[in-house]
Amino acid sequence: MDKETKKNIGVLQAFYFFAFFASGSLIPLLSVYLSNSIGLTGFQIGIIMSIGPVITIFFQPIWGMLSDKTNAPAVILKLCTFFAGICGLGYLFFDRFSWIVAIATLLAVFQSAIVPISDSIAIKYASKNNYQYGNIRLFGALGFGVAVFIMGRISDMEPTSIFIAFFTALIICAAATIKMPKEKGETIKNPLKGIKELIVYKKYMLFLAVTFLVFSPNLANNTFFGLFVENSGATYSGIGVAFLIAVLSEAPFMKIAGGLIGKFGLLEITLFAGAISLLRWIFYFTAPSLALVYATAFLQGFGVGLFIPAGIQYIRKIAPVSMMATAITFYSAIGNGLGNWFNTFIGGIIFNYYHITDVYLFFSILTGMGIVLNLYLIREEKQEAQLKKQNLKKVG
């Protein structure tokens, strides 16, 4: 690897670190801030925390098309990171629910562009230079975990510091885009094209349901985990420790996922990831001690670190080649957008009327349903494989 390539890789890694440092400063601690410092209800918190996933569904394709049209993804990335950081400061000046909703909406519009556009740049550059994209993306997980750990401690003394950290990290990202390699993002011009055709593919739609039921609760957990850890007796610092353990556990599982998939199969790995998630949610429903919460936080590595690579590979396996881009985009919208919103919104209602542990009972029920669908898909694939084998014998 030449000096210029090393420099560009370093810029990309720095961008991911600070982009996810910003998210780690805000997302896990925002719900606690809104509850303790502003005094919002669980229902109101659920609405605010669900805004981001909803905006993601609609605005990610728009930012992608704009990136293609202008052929300037780094410029768009610079503008979006800058304005997202500015919007984050809005939380410092308003404490009325209506204004906080407006701030969260505007922030989500700009923040929704950051991950897909940076991914498109990083994936293309890594591929062109024979470098593993995972070695770049890993810095995102590191940034998120470090942010929650550090900001958890600082916000114990000053809760509003999470917004300053969010702003500062995204300004650094905006500056990093100036040195970022000028790669054109491989975004999708019309992400809705072909969805009608995809609906007829039974296995594809079933796996979307599995993703909605099994994977989405893991994303929504980022909203409620801070409240859960606090309820277990932790301070902001303790929340940071728990998140650090959970988030950093994802990286090693992503690294070994390829070998496990080759040995056991794609659906078998998503089933295993779902089973571990189910055990985790049931365990949290029992309101364990804080020490046991810390001891089991690493289970997130199974639920997220294994499901992500197995899920995307399964979509690539079953979707028609002619509709691959649309299939992946729609899959992402269901898991990261719609599913995340649904779990966050309903979880907020449950938290408002019942208890934080009951949110995890809700996650348990959904995940259990997803596991049943996953088992059904495994049976379907085995039956298909047997049928093909019989047909080959007949032809032979």
Side-chain angles (χ1 to χ4, degrees):
M1 185 186 300
D2 59 49
K3 187 176 180 180
E4 182 66 21
T5 302
K6 286 183 179 180
K7 177 184 174 183
N8 287 333
I9 292 295
V11 170
L12 289 170
Q13 290 171 334
F15 180 90
Y16 273 91
F17 180 89
F18 286 105
F20 280 85
F21 187 98
S23 296
S25 299
L26 187 65
I27 295 174
L29 299 171
L30 180 58
S31 58
V32 179
Y33 171 83
L34 295 175
S35 177
N36 293 349
S37 299
I38 305 298
L40 298 187
T41 65
F43 178 71
Q44 290 173 320
I45 293 171
I47 291 175
I48 292 168
M49 300 305 293
S50 66
I51 288 172
V54 173
I55 293 296
T56 294
I57 298 171
F58 298 101
F59 274 86
Q60 275 192 351
I62 293 173
W63 287 120
M65 288 185 284
L66 184 60
S67 176
D68 271 346
K69 187 174 182 179
T70 61
N71 195 19
V75 174
I76 294 174
L77 205 53
K78 177 170 62 177
L79 293 174
C80 287
T81 49
F82 176 79
F83 284 112
I86 295 294
C87 291
L89 291 178
Y91 285 104
L92 294 172
F93 304 102
F94 302 98
D95 57 8
R96 288 180 57 185
F97 173 66
S98 57
W99 279 107
I100 292 175
V101 168
I103 292 166
T105 301
L106 193 58
L107 188 154
V109 168
F110 292 109
Q111 196 174 16
S112 66
I114 296 175
V115 172
I117 294 181
S118 58
D119 274 350
S120 68
I121 294 172
I123 290 171
K124 186 169 185 180
Y125 189 80
S127 177
K128 187 172 71 175
N129 291 277
N130 196 28
Y131 191 81
Q132 290 293 324
Y133 162 74
N135 291 334
I136 299 174
R137 180 60 177 78
L138 178 64
F139 280 76
L142 179 63
F144 192 97
V146 169
V148 180
F149 178 71
I150 293 176
M151 296 313 302
R153 290 176 176 272
I154 295 176
S155 58
D156 263 341
M157 298 175 286
E158 180 48 67
T160 58
S161 62
I162 62 177
F163 308 117
I164 303 297
F166 179 81
F167 167 77
T168 303
L170 287 187
I171 293 302
I172 293 173
C173 286
T177 60
I178 298 173
K179 298 293 184 179
M180 191 172 284
K182 302 300 185 287
E183 299 294 327
K184 184 178 184 298
E186 296 179 357
T187 49
I188 301 164
K189 295 183 183 295
N190 187 4
L192 299 180
K193 185 179 179 180
I195 288 179
K196 290 183 179 179
E197 289 84 352
L198 281 170
I199 291 175
V200 304
Y201 289 92
K202 180 181 177 182
K203 288 196 294 184
Y204 177 78
M205 296 306 296
L206 283 173
F207 193 71
L208 287 187
V210 171
T211 302
F212 182 94
L213 296 167
V214 173
F215 182 65
S216 297
N218 281 283
L219 298 178
N221 178 57
N222 287 333
T223 297
F224 297 103
F225 191 51
L227 294 168
F228 173 74
V229 176
E230 183 192 39
N231 182 75
S232 301
T235 60
Y236 276 94
S237 299
I239 294 171
V241 171
F243 262 103
L244 181 68
I245 297 170
V247 174
L248 294 186
S249 71
E250 297 172 14
F253 284 99
M254 284 186 180
K255 194 165 187 177
I256 66 172
L260 293 175
I261 289 168
K263 186 175 182 180
F264 298 104
L266 292 166
L267 289 177
E268 285 74 12
I269 293 301
T270 59
L271 177 65
F272 180 64
I276 297 297
S277 294
L278 176 60
L279 291 175
R280 186 186 182 198
W281 306 148
I282 292 174
F283 181 63
Y284 287 175
F285 173 63
T286 66
S289 67
L290 182 60
L292 289 175
V293 173
Y294 287 146
T296 57
F298 77 95
L299 293 176
Q300 182 161 313
F302 289 93
V304 177
L306 293 181
F307 194 98
I308 287 177
I312 196 68
Q313 287 185 49
Y314 185 70
I315 292 296
R316 288 175 175 171
K317 173 187 173 183
I318 64 175
V321 176
S322 60
M323 292 183 284
M324 187 63 65
T326 301
I328 293 175
T329 299
F330 195 44
Y331 165 74
S332 179
I334 292 296
N336 298 329
L338 182 63
N340 192 359
W341 165 79
F342 176 80
N343 282 276
T344 302
F345 182 71
I346 300 300
I349 295 175
I350 293 171
F351 174 56
N352 185 59
Y353 290 104
Y354 299 98
H355 192 267
I356 187 63
T357 55
D358 294 311
V359 174
Y360 289 97
L361 176 61
F362 171 63
F363 288 171
S364 300
I365 293 170
L366 291 183
T367 304
M369 293 167 61
I371 287 173
V372 172
L373 283 181
N374 199 324
L375 287 168
Y376 176 77
L377 266 175
I378 291 175
R379 191 186 71 171
E380 287 281 297
E381 291 221 331
K382 286 182 177 179
Q383 289 178 347
E384 284 185 9
Q386 290 176 353
L387 187 60
K388 286 180 181 179
K389 191 174 181 181
Q390 291 174 359
N391 290 337
L392 285 174
K393 286 182 177 180
K394 290 180 181 178
V395 172

